[in-house]
Amino acid sequence: MRTSPELRAKARPAGDCVWEIAPSEKAGMRVPARIYASEALFGQMDDGVFEQVTNVACLPGIVRAALCMPDGHWGYGFPIGGVAAFDAEDGVISPGGIGFDINCGMRLIRTGLSEGEVRPRITELIDALFEAVPSGVGAKGFVRLTEESFRRIMVQGAGWCVAHGYGWPEDLERMEGQGCLPGADPTHVSARAVSRGMEQLGTLGSGNHYLEIQVVREGGIHDPVAARALGVEAPGQVFVMLHCGSRGFGHQIGTDYLRIFDQAMPRYGIRVNDRELACAPFRSPEGQAYFGAMTAAANSAFANRQVITHRVREVFSRIFGRDARTLGLDMIYDVCHNTAKLERHRVDGREMELVVHRKGATRAFGPGAPDVPSAYRTIGQPVIIGGSMETGSALLVGTAHAMEETWGSTAHGAGRTMSRAQAKKLVRGDTLIRDMAARGIVVRAASKSGVAEEAGFAYKDLSAVVDVLHRLDLSRRVATLSPIGNIKG
């Protein structure tokens, strides 16, 4: 992907790694659009990013600017990597600014094991995890739920799982919002969404979702003080990373409300440049109903990652013959992307209640923020950035500057450089699996074509994305993690 010269000319440098498109560039823009990227990353962004971020800048009630993180690429309505805040009183809420996989997110679990202990059993471990954590389209989980218990999950999130033996009480302290966002209302969830969600608790899904065994290499710890606070102790230490969300449940809610909003917009006099940005006033009946249903899906995603964590602990305990606690399988953090949340931020010197949309973007609250776990409050909220299955991931922390510049937001991944279809034309899944095995990365996948879609060359250079975030102080680099085993959804 490359930016066309015409669109490139419309974005002017507005500081180191900051590009701004003025409201005069498109009819209807209420605020500027701002893109955070190095020259090289900026040049890799497709034209869809420019069209979409400037369309977002046209939405009613948007505050200050429409933003795009350095991993930005074309998405549904908003660009992936898009962030926008709307006045809670006269602004809108848009499913296109959240995504279909509501609360798709990242979870990182430390272990007290070394690569020397895990490497000899990595194939056995990955095979056991692949069996224990269902993956792929339509996969069903092992937790049997009644409709009533599923509705409790919508409201209680990960707390329901811990109360029913699928986690440790301290897990909840180390999740964004303690694994349960306020405002969930199951009465606004369709029967179709409930039927799709009830059987999927504890499943990985498909697409770019994964469960990965990772190692911090020599030179991979960049901030020893913050790393120690997060439980990253020394090179060779092994970690488990999850990337998944609300599965078909969230997808159905997004589908349901796009139809509802499409019909509601004329009633509120709202016109959008792109039907994928269908929206409703946040305080309207339709807006509040979607917020209640969307939050229910967000809480189910926390529960999904919690049940998978339980399975991971069971498998490690069985393979290594020790209790999960003695193996040190403690949660580091669970962080969302694909949400809209009510948050209070300072705007022009006064505090405002905003509906902050993060679409393929991660919250990155800085030191001292009340919602940051007490164990991390001096260093800032952990930020987990997933890279490709070949190249690894990054652990960072949020900053005070992000609170001022991006509503406490940062990137969520490396960001694609090509479509899944293009990637599949360039490599076969079975070839890639053999190549990765030769490089010491064991892969099990529900679909070999799905592996080809996620080849490392289909993603931007993660270190380049992290460099921009670190330079701009939108989040601070702590550690880099490399894969040794991957279960691909």
Side-chain angles (χ1 to χ4, degrees):
M1 296 177 186
R2 289 290 183 272
T3 308
S4 68
E6 295 77 16
L7 287 174
R8 189 182 177 92
K10 294 180 179 180
R12 289 175 295 185
D16 179 33
C17 295
V18 182
W19 308 79
E20 191 158 291
I21 305 172
S24 57
E25 290 294 344
K26 178 180 280 187
M29 284 178 67
R30 299 165 189 260
V31 294
R34 194 170 297 153
I35 298 170
Y36 302 96
S38 63
E39 175 77 30
L41 290 172
F42 184 78
Q44 289 180 339
M45 288 183 178
D46 51 291
D47 285 1
V49 169
F50 295 80
E51 287 300 329
Q52 292 186 322
V53 75
T54 49
N55 286 340
V56 173
C58 300
L59 291 175
I62 189 168
V63 176
R64 194 184 292 161
L67 310 177
C68 184
M69 298 295 127
D71 55 339
H73 57 98
W74 179 86
Y76 185 95
F78 276 48
I80 308 296
V83 176
F86 300 88
D87 188 328
E89 295 309 313
D90 60 15
V92 297
I93 185 168
S94 173
I98 295 157
F100 287 97
D101 192 2
I102 296 165
N103 188 7
C104 183
M106 308 295 301
R107 177 173 291 208
L108 184 61
I109 304 161
R110 69 180 296 283
T111 80
L113 295 165
S114 69
E115 184 177 6
E117 294 170 284
V118 173
R119 176 65 77 179
R121 309 191 72 170
I122 187 65
T123 301
E124 181 185 4
L125 180 62
I126 289 295
D127 284 342
L129 288 168
F130 187 60
E131 184 177 343
V133 182
S135 60
V137 177
K140 296 179 181 178
F142 73 97
V143 183
R144 296 290 169 258
L145 298 171
T146 64
E147 187 169 323
E148 179 57 30
S149 57
F150 187 52
R151 289 183 185 279
R152 287 184 187 146
I153 288 172
M154 295 183 210
V155 176
Q156 298 171 14
W160 183 94
C161 303
V162 171
H164 288 76
Y166 301 114
W168 302 342
E170 60 266 36
D171 291 341
L172 301 178
E173 294 296 318
R174 302 197 172 197
M175 299 181 198
E176 182 172 339
Q178 290 76 54
C180 178
L181 304 184
D185 189 345
T187 64
H188 295 302
V189 175
S190 70
R192 172 69 178 143
V194 171
S195 70
R196 290 186 68 179
M198 276 181 58
E199 295 184 336
Q200 294 186 328
L201 195 68
T203 62
L204 202 55
S206 56
N208 61 347
H209 299 140
Y210 61 80
L211 189 167
E212 196 160 271
I213 309 299
Q214 304 177 337
V215 173
V216 60
R217 303 281 187 205
E218 197 69 47
I221 297 177
H222 312 292
D223 182 335
V225 173
R228 197 171 305 114
L230 294 169
V232 182
E233 295 165 351
Q237 187 179 356
V238 170
F239 299 83
V240 182
M241 183 175 284
L242 305 180
H243 177 219
C244 60
S246 52
R247 308 276 285 106
F249 181 54
H251 196 285
Q252 188 62 47
I253 288 171
T255 302
D256 292 341
Y257 278 90
L258 279 168
R259 293 194 194 107
I260 293 170
F261 283 9
D262 199 37
Q263 294 172 1
M265 283 194 296
R267 199 156 52 246
Y268 296 108
I270 297 174
R271 298 183 65 182
V272 293
N273 292 343
D274 179 354
R275 289 186 70 183
E276 295 179 359
L277 289 174
C279 57
F282 178 68
R283 296 295 185 197
S284 69
E286 294 87 351
Q288 287 294 288
Y290 173 64
F291 184 69
M294 182 273 299
T295 306
N299 290 340
S300 82
F302 283 126
N304 190 32
R305 294 193 287 273
Q306 185 61 41
V307 170
I308 293 175
T309 299
H310 174 74
R311 291 297 245 184
V312 167
R313 285 172 172 155
E314 284 185 333
V315 168
F316 267 78
S317 182
R318 187 169 75 248
I319 296 291
F320 293 98
R322 290 156 59 192
D323 179 79
R325 286 190 183 275
T326 66
L327 290 169
L329 287 163
D330 299 313
M331 182 123 81
I332 291 181
Y333 202 60
D334 181 305
V335 68
C336 313
H337 36 260
N338 293 6
T339 60
K341 295 170 65 181
L342 265 177
E343 295 175 0
R344 299 195 74 83
H345 291 272
R346 293 195 71 77
V347 180
D348 299 329
R350 68 186 179 97
E351 193 172 85
M352 287 181 66
E353 190 171 45
L354 304 174
V355 187
V356 181
H357 291 56
R358 298 187 178 95
K359 164 76 170 292
T362 303
R363 200 187 71 170
F365 280 8
D371 195 35
V372 174
S374 57
Y376 306 145
R377 207 159 289 162
T378 59
I379 61 169
Q381 174 215 300
V383 169
I384 306 164
I385 299 189
S388 79
M389 60 194 293
E390 292 187 75
T391 56
S393 304
L395 178 62
L396 301 87
V397 286
T399 64
H401 183 64
M403 303 299 285
E404 299 169 0
E405 177 73 20
T406 58
W407 316 118
S409 308
T410 189
H412 85 310
R416 296 193 74 92
T417 58
M418 65 179 67
S419 70
R420 291 184 165 89
Q422 286 175 302
K424 284 193 286 190
K425 290 178 182 174
L426 297 175
V427 69
R428 286 172 54 94
D430 51 0
T431 303
L432 184 56
I433 289 172
R434 282 197 302 274
D435 288 349
M436 291 175 67
R439 286 180 274 138
I441 307 170
V442 176
V443 178
R444 295 291 180 269
S447 157
K448 287 189 171 58
S449 66
V451 174
E453 292 173 357
E454 298 303 311
F457 59 71
Y459 284 86
K460 298 183 177 80
D461 178 355
L462 178 66
S463 63
V465 171
V466 171
D467 281 347
V468 169
L469 301 175
H470 190 83
R471 279 169 66 179
L472 292 177
D473 199 26
L474 298 182
S475 42
R476 190 158 48 85
R477 187 191 297 114
V478 174
T480 304
L481 304 171
S482 302
I484 60 172
N486 184 294
I487 293 170
K488 172 74 191 64

